[in-house]
Amino acid sequence: MLPYPSGDLHIGHWYAMTPSDARARFQRMQGYNVMFPIGFDAFGLPAENAAIKRNVHPKEWTYHNIENMRNQLRTMGAMWDWEREAVSCDPGYYRWSQWFFLRLYKHGMAYRKQSPVDYCPNCNTTLAREQVWGEDRHCERCETAVIKKDLEQWFFKITDYAEELLDFSKLDWPERLQLLQTNWVGRSEGAHVTFHTEAGDVLLVFTTRPDTLWGATFMVLAPEHPLVAKVTSAAQKTEVEAYVAATVRQTDIQREAADKEKSGVFTGGYATNPVNGEYIPIWIADYVLLTYGTGAIMAVPAHDERDFAFARAFGLEVRPVIQGTDELAPPDGATMMAPSMHSGMMINSGPLSGTPADQAVARTIAWLEENGSGTGAVNYRLHDWLISRQRYWGTPIPMTYCDGCGVQPVPEEQLPVLLPDDIEWRPTGESPLKYHPTWKHASCPACGGAAIRETDTMDTFMCSSWYQYRYLSPSYDEGPWDPQEFSHWMPVDTYTGGIEHATMHLIYTRYFTKALRDMGLLDFDEPMLQLRNQGIILGEDSEKMSKSRGNVVAPDELVAQYGADAVRAYLMFFARWDQGAPWSGSGIEGVSRWLQRVWAIATRITDAETGVAAPDRLARDLRRKVHQTIQKVTHDMENFEFNTVISALMELTNALNAARKAGLVGSEVYAQGVDTLLKLMAPVTPHIAEELWGILRRPYSVHQQSWPVADPAVAAAEEITLVVQVNGKVRDRLTAPADISAEAAEERALASENVRRHLHGREPKKVIYVPGRLVNIVQ
RNA sequence: GCCGAAGUGGCGGAAUUGGCAGACGCGCGCGACUCAAAAUCGCGUACCCUUAGGGUGUGUGGGUUCGAUCCCCACCUUCGGCACCA
């Protein structure tokens, strides 16, 4: 975890962190060597906003918040390893973020590119595609609708890893998360097909349906496509330029709106279809996106909905090239009402006519490759990661620009490129780095002449892409990590976090580790092997918690009222951890009462006499319950099923209470039951468990005890309730020995008075016996 | 539109994955203690039939099975992701 130091610990932090801590403590008691680190994701925009609004320096604001959060985190009683704390805005940290940037640059994985990028006009910065959300394309942080800007920016080549990012075989990650990442990468198989313009330029298209190539009746280019100007005829020039200008002015939202009504303009140019040499008109339309595939398509209106709508809107030819298996005659392009999506047989397709649907794509690709007109191809929706941010409070990108030598990396030994402290804010909200009088002036590492520093800083997801490695040795200064620590601990065994990171942090950090591997810096493929997501806590009104809604639950107040242990236990109890739920304030009373009952049980034992002889049967029952609870709690802790951990602990408490009333206080079995309860509670409620452990004069500390091990023989039930059904309906319940034979069970079931009544004196047709569970008599 | 997840008492949720539906807790009701209240403790608490006993019940409608919260089909609702992706 690397929380952002917002300055106030939220109930959501508690919900995410306390079960994770409990599980870490559980594993430590099981004998594992557990590292449970913490640190802060300390760069980012809120610090700058605070600076502009309240005139505090971002550094001061951030470190003040960190101090505050450290204190709040301490109230949780988590076993954080504070000696390994890492703070991403410390120069000792961001020096290595810069170092990684230089490594990536040297390996060709960081590059600069001019392109239309998403820009948040409120945050005054560009954003990565992953940070633009929803139908209305809004900024992930401030929810402002983004706009497009044509800028030169730094990118990381995450697309080189598109295929590998789809491989989850080494990971124990939730299916749901794998699916989100898989969809985000967006792999599709098809072909690249080479068309040619009249001037002889190559016009490459990507298609998933090469089998429909003979049905291509026109081409469509994205309005921003580089060939647009060249293919446009003199007659169409005015119209084309007007359309391009209009498209560029539109936001993505406008472009995708209007109920997907098709618009477009004929360029006056033509292209040759490689499969039949036919000349087909080239159009431009905003439904073709420059950012996907090659930014150009072959349009097959007979077999594609968008192309069909476009063809009908502009009166273009529709030519079917597939006859569906259930179609008696080939569809008529002139009259068909919708594109044909049937599978069947290729028609009107020259040498491939007659090819059945299941072979059509492969045979067409083979034909294209033989004829040098195309190749099989895989396309991904994933884009390279835009990491430039036009902000002050971030890691400076360690690059310079020299008039003579161009882009030059800052030499490694000059790192870190420090952020200047003496800064002034512009009323426009622009980055002070751009306007700093001296900071950006540097000497060129190549020629020694004057050079200008890059004034953009890095996306903060860069900091969090490698923080797990910095936790190993946060003050190490000979490298990003101490190699000895690294080989002992890495990769991360268990990682917990929110699902909202699926296509951001969690994809970036996977990419980052793979890139480091390929640069020889580490030797595994995945940064975190096991991952589990917690859900989110909503306000009591089922809405997202926010100050403006007034539905925020303050953990500090709950801790003051009920104590940290009760808050911890309640957060683990009140909902399924992986699902989250709306907050409910009344339930915490129940957990608080439970802890008071535990207190009463454990403190009464000291006053009681020892050496009490417990009746055999009661002793056995209690011992069984104890061992069953060990089994249940161990299993559920392993599996992140924390709510049933608490209910099992409550059940054991209730059993101990009943045993106390039955006079078992002072007996050995009772004392062992209490000891076990305290050990099982230690990960969940570390303070109370320790306190009671001390009161009972057990050897310090409860947290250093080994986790109890269940004896299956003791946990096994001696007697079972045998359910007796007649035709699947419960008619009786019998108490029987656990190892009752099938014959004996059937005999006893048939002897039941109520069963006999329901049999109405007739013979059963069949009797089903499920060992240890039920007898079903079928008539 | 496409992909995915989830629908169980008044509420949060449980059910060893095909075998007692509703564990545990909240809330509520009744009782004990108290002059009274709070706290605590005890009992009860899916719905319906006045009871013995029975009927119904896990979003809706079908199906498979001796038996379905669990498997299959169709549908409804809610939430999440993607979205003119070629």
Side-chain angles (χ1 to χ4, degrees), chain A residues 195-200 216-219 266 268-282 317 319:
Chain A
F195 287 67
H196 285 93
T197 65
E198 292 160 290
T217 51
F218 57 100
M219 317 268 314
F266 177 44
Y270 288 84
T272 323
N273 185 341
V275 297
N276 53 15
E278 206 174 330
Y279 271 107
I280 54 175
I282 305 173
E317 188 195 346
R319 186 193 302 164

Side-chain angles (χ1 to χ4, degrees), chain A residues 43-192:
Chain A
F43 273 135
L45 206 54
E48 282 187 60
N49 291 339
I52 294 163
K53 213 162 141 190
R54 277 175 267 158
N55 199 28
V56 225
H57 196 282
K59 191 187 233 177
E60 200 185 306
W61 186 86
T62 302
Y63 282 97
H64 177 263
N65 282 351
I66 288 175
E67 194 44 43
N68 197 31
M69 276 190 57
R70 282 187 191 124
N71 290 331
Q72 287 180 307
L73 283 166
R74 285 196 178 97
T75 68
M76 209 183 266
M79 53 177 262
W80 311 116
D81 191 343
W82 288 103
E83 289 181 8
R84 296 183 193 262
E85 183 202 58
V87 176
S88 67
C89 67
D90 283 346
Y93 188 106
Y94 70 71
R95 168 187 178 183
W96 300 108
S97 297
Q98 293 174 338
W99 186 82
F100 285 123
F101 184 98
L102 293 177
R103 289 290 164 126
L104 290 166
Y105 177 74
K106 275 166 202 161
H107 284 82
M109 279 193 267
Y111 68 95
R112 214 166 136 76
K113 175 177 81 170
Q114 170 100 23
S115 68
V117 292
D118 295 306
Y119 186 90
C120 173
N122 183 48
C123 297
N124 285 309
T125 184
T126 51
L127 298 170
R129 215 183 120 78
E130 289 77 16
Q131 290 152 32
V132 181
W133 285 9
E135 215 166 330
D136 58 348
R137 312 309 295 153
H138 64 258
C139 166
E140 168 251 336
R141 289 216 80 90
C142 71
E143 302 192 358
T144 307
V146 303
I147 55 172
K148 286 282 182 205
K149 276 203 175 186
D150 205 32
L151 291 172
E152 205 171 350
Q153 301 275 285
W154 284 99
F155 291 85
F156 286 160
K157 265 190 148 178
I158 190 171
T159 52
D160 277 2
Y161 293 86
E163 193 61 42
E164 200 189 336
L165 287 168
L166 295 171
D167 178 9
F168 296 94
S169 59
K170 296 192 176 86
L171 296 178
D172 171 16
W173 283 26
E175 288 291 330
R176 180 158 152 246
L177 202 131
Q178 296 182 31
L179 194 76
L180 286 173
Q181 293 201 342
T182 302
N183 291 341
W184 188 257
V185 172
R187 183 182 199 274
S188 57
E189 278 182 32
H192 277 137

Side-chain angles (χ1 to χ4, degrees), chain A residues 12 15-17 496-500 532-536 577-580:
Chain A
Y15 186 69
M17 291 170 171
T496 59
I499 190 98
E500 70 275 13
R532 292 294 180 271
N533 299 119
Q534 78 272 355
I536 48 167
W577 184 69
D578 59 338
Q579 284 186 193

Side-chain angles (χ1 to χ4, degrees), chain A residues 194-259:
Chain A
T194 310
F195 287 67
H196 285 93
T197 65
E198 292 160 290
D201 288 313
V202 165
L203 182 46
L204 194 69
V205 302
F206 174 75
T207 175
T208 54
R209 294 295 305 274
D211 56 323
T212 61
L213 247 172
W214 281 265
T217 51
F218 57 100
M219 317 268 314
V220 187
L221 306 189
E224 311 90 329
H225 194 283
L227 280 177
V228 169
K230 208 165 171 194
V231 298
T232 301
S233 68
Q236 293 299 103
K237 196 164 184 254
T238 323
E239 214 182 327
V240 166
E241 281 175 358
Y243 186 80
V244 171
T247 309
V248 169
R249 263 201 313 278
Q250 279 182 333
T251 60
D252 274 11
I253 320 144
Q254 289 165 329
R255 192 159 164 175
E256 283 161 17
D259 281 335

Side-chain angles (χ1 to χ4, degrees), chain A residues 705-723:
Chain A
Q705 302 304 307
S706 42
W707 188 252
V709 177
D711 181 342
V714 178
E718 291 164 22
E719 281 184 338
I720 52 162
T721 303
L722 198 59
V723 173

